[in-house]
Amino acid sequence: MLGTGLRYVEGVTTLEFAPDRCDGCGRCIDVCPHAVFAHDGAAPTGSSGGDAVVALADKDACIECGACVKNCPNGALKVRPGVGCASAIILGWFTGSEPTCGCDSAC
Amino acid sequence: MDACCGTGQEPAPPVCCGDGAVDDYPYDRGDWIVGVVDSAAGPIPRISTELSAPDARGRLRVRLGVRRQHYRVRPGLYAVGSPTPDAPVLVTANYKLSLDALRSELDGIDAWVLVLDTKGINVWCAAGKGTFGTRELVTRVQDTRLARVVAHRTLTLPQLGAPGVAGHLVPKLCGFSVRYGPVRARDLPRYLAEDGRATPEMRRVTFTLRERLALAPVELSVLWRPKVIAAIAVLVALSAVGSGGLDLAGWPSRAAVLLGAPAAGLLAGALVTPALLPWLPGRSFSFKGALVGAVAAAVLVFGLGAAQSVSGIVSIFAVAMTIASFTAMNFTGATTYTSLSGVVWEMRRALPLQVAGVVLALAAFVASFVIG
């Protein structure tokens, strides 16, 4: 079985992708742990004349870790990164700050 | 002077290389350092690829949630096997489990191991926080004078370090380029043998039954915190009081209910729900946990037999289901596939219901005293 085989809540990810800024370098494909991206065979070649641009193969598998955004040289990706951790979120609500793992829990 | 960084000596010389940011911390003693390798930057500690009994004990300890923040190794440069200036540079975090997971897969391999100062946090969490980050990577490369040690200019990072590292910016900052290796260290030998080629499978995280169960003890470790032990003692004491005052005859059965329901809920949410995760209906953890909690409550009620009041049964269900739901919801932080947006989505729906569950449990509990 490829990957976890597990699915979480769908239709909520904050991931945004701008194909017109993509040059097909494929770094996002390398770093994504859930194969959200794949080279789009049907698309025209990218602006650098390299491989075809990248496409979203499985947007709902996105865990918003931010690896793709961090490693895209062209700013084609945006996401609101954060820990998918309930206790971190509760802590954030109480302290009025961003969700943060005290890393006392099983993170 | 040359041998100061990354030799695992105790105590550290006050200021050695770079900015001296490696603080005076009681790092793990380093029984896994088995020798020394020569390099153009001085002697580099050679580390073992075998895990010892102390390594296993340490791993057990942190998996049980005991002092997990204090299992670090000294950051810096290490060697595995007999690396030459052409050997690859493998980067990891200074959480000892991270280093152990890496070095135990490097049997027969010659490599340099660059350990970043992530304050003892594992690679993926540290990357999310930014401590396994571009700046720390560059600092460590410079502090260890890596450019003198190796002839090539490539750093091989674990893929799960990517959320913290802007790989395309690193060359400009320290002259080394970044390539992302596989998610799991055990795929590294094949990755390196095939000159840095990763299969799609190497780039996907998993969440197997074994991985899920390995996390259960930490979820359960709330049980062995002093405050919780104290609360349990209080509950046991309280259950000596029946509806007519002190009632020692009824004490054991009341204690069983008072402790049994929360225990059932905790086991349901922290152990059974993670174990059965793929097979439980629904996507949200709070729902899966509530379901398992209901089953656990039913088992408890059945096991306690006759002579239970309706309000007593209601309180058992309310307590077990609420604790199971909340505990399972907390497990989202330990998974490899939940997103922040998804967890917020389910929490907004689950928390009001969980609060209602607490209210119901209290009301039913009080009622069982009043009504009997």
Side-chain angles (χ1 to χ4, degrees), chain A residues 2-3 7-8 10 12 30-35 63-64 70-71 80 83-87 90 103 105-107, chain B residues 68-69 125 159 162 165 167-168 180 203-205 218-219 283 329-330 332-334 336-338 340-341 346-347 351:
Chain A
L2 208 55
R7 307 294 297 180
Y8 195 42
E10 301 196 341
V12 295
D30 272 355
V31 300
C32 178
H34 288 284
I63 60 170
E64 301 174 318
K70 191 83 177 178
N71 283 272
R80 192 182 171 281
V83 236
C85 171
S87 27
I90 291 174
C103 269
S105 48
C107 276
Chain B
R68 295 167 73 216
Q69 308 296 79
C125 284
Q159 183 179 331
V165 175
H168 55 291
Y180 289 104
R203 295 220 172 282
R204 306 278 285 268
V205 296
V218 173
E219 296 294 312
R283 295 287 171 88
M329 198 172 72
N330 270 338
T332 52
T336 58
Y337 75 105
T338 54
L340 173 65
S341 297
E346 76 158 285
M347 282 177 72
L351 277 173

Side-chain angles (χ1 to χ4, degrees), chain A residues 42-103:
Chain A
T45 49
S47 53
S48 67
D51 289 334
V53 298
V54 160
L56 291 174
D58 190 359
K59 194 174 177 191
D60 283 325
C62 172
I63 60 170
E64 301 174 318
C65 68
C68 57
V69 176
K70 191 83 177 178
N71 283 272
C72 176
N74 307 307
L77 291 159
K78 259 201 300 226
V79 84
R80 192 182 171 281
V83 236
C85 171
S87 27
I89 295 167
I90 291 174
L91 200 64
W93 285 345
F94 275 122
T95 61
S97 63
E98 283 298 305
T100 171
C101 259
C103 269

Side-chain angles (χ1 to χ4, degrees), chain B residues 126-191:
Chain B
K129 293 169 97 127
T131 43
F132 190 101
T134 316
R135 187 146 64 125
E136 167 59 22
L137 178 66
V138 167
T139 299
R140 212 49 57 193
V141 165
Q142 289 166 342
D143 278 8
T144 57
R145 285 169 296 181
L146 185 66
R148 285 203 219 166
V149 174
V150 293
H152 65 82
R153 289 294 178 263
T154 303
L155 301 166
T156 304
L157 266 59
Q159 183 179 331
L160 296 184
V165 175
H168 55 291
L169 298 181
V170 172
K172 262 194 290 273
L173 294 169
C174 70
F176 278 80
S177 67
V178 162
R179 66 175 181 179
Y180 289 104
V183 165
R184 286 163 291 275
R186 72 160 182 271
D187 290 324
L188 253 181
R190 190 170 143 206
Y191 173 85

Side-chain angles (χ1 to χ4, degrees), chain B residues 19-38:
Chain B
D19 57 359
V22 174
D23 39 59
D24 192 11
Y25 180 91
Y27 289 108
D28 180 277
R29 236 165 31 112
D31 297 329
W32 33 275
I33 295 177
V34 294
V36 152
V37 164
D38 261 330

Side-chain angles (χ1 to χ4, degrees), chain B residues 206-301:
Chain B
T206 55
F207 202 37
T208 63
L209 175 65
R210 221 177 147 162
E211 289 167 332
R212 300 195 300 271
L213 287 177
L215 294 166
V218 173
E219 296 294 312
L220 289 167
S221 71
V222 66
L223 278 176
W224 42 90
R225 300 231 187 292
K227 284 192 194 144
V228 174
I229 294 176
I232 292 173
V234 167
L235 277 178
V236 171
L238 274 179
S239 56
V241 177
S243 42
L246 194 65
D247 169 20
L248 292 178
W251 194 9
S253 66
R254 266 193 312 275
V257 174
L258 219 48
L259 290 176
L266 186 65
L267 283 171
L271 183 61
V272 179
T273 304
L276 301 182
L277 205 59
W279 305 289
L280 293 168
R283 295 287 171 88
S284 82
F285 285 52
S286 44
F287 177 76
K288 294 180 199 248
L291 214 59
V292 179
V295 171
V299 168
L300 184 62
V301 167

Side-chain angles (χ1 to χ4, degrees), chain B residues 308-365:
Chain B
Q308 291 175 70
S309 60
V310 171
S311 48
I313 292 175
V314 169
S315 69
I316 287 177
F317 270 86
V319 166
M321 286 178 72
T322 304
I323 288 181
S325 178
F326 187 78
T327 307
M329 198 172 72
N330 270 338
F331 188 62
T332 52
T335 74
T336 58
Y337 75 105
T338 54
S339 61
L340 173 65
S341 297
V343 174
V344 168
W345 184 93
E346 76 158 285
M347 282 177 72
R348 286 202 203 286
R349 281 154 186 75
L351 277 173
L353 292 172
Q354 287 159 358
V355 168
V358 172
V359 171
L360 178 63
L362 285 170
F365 183 66

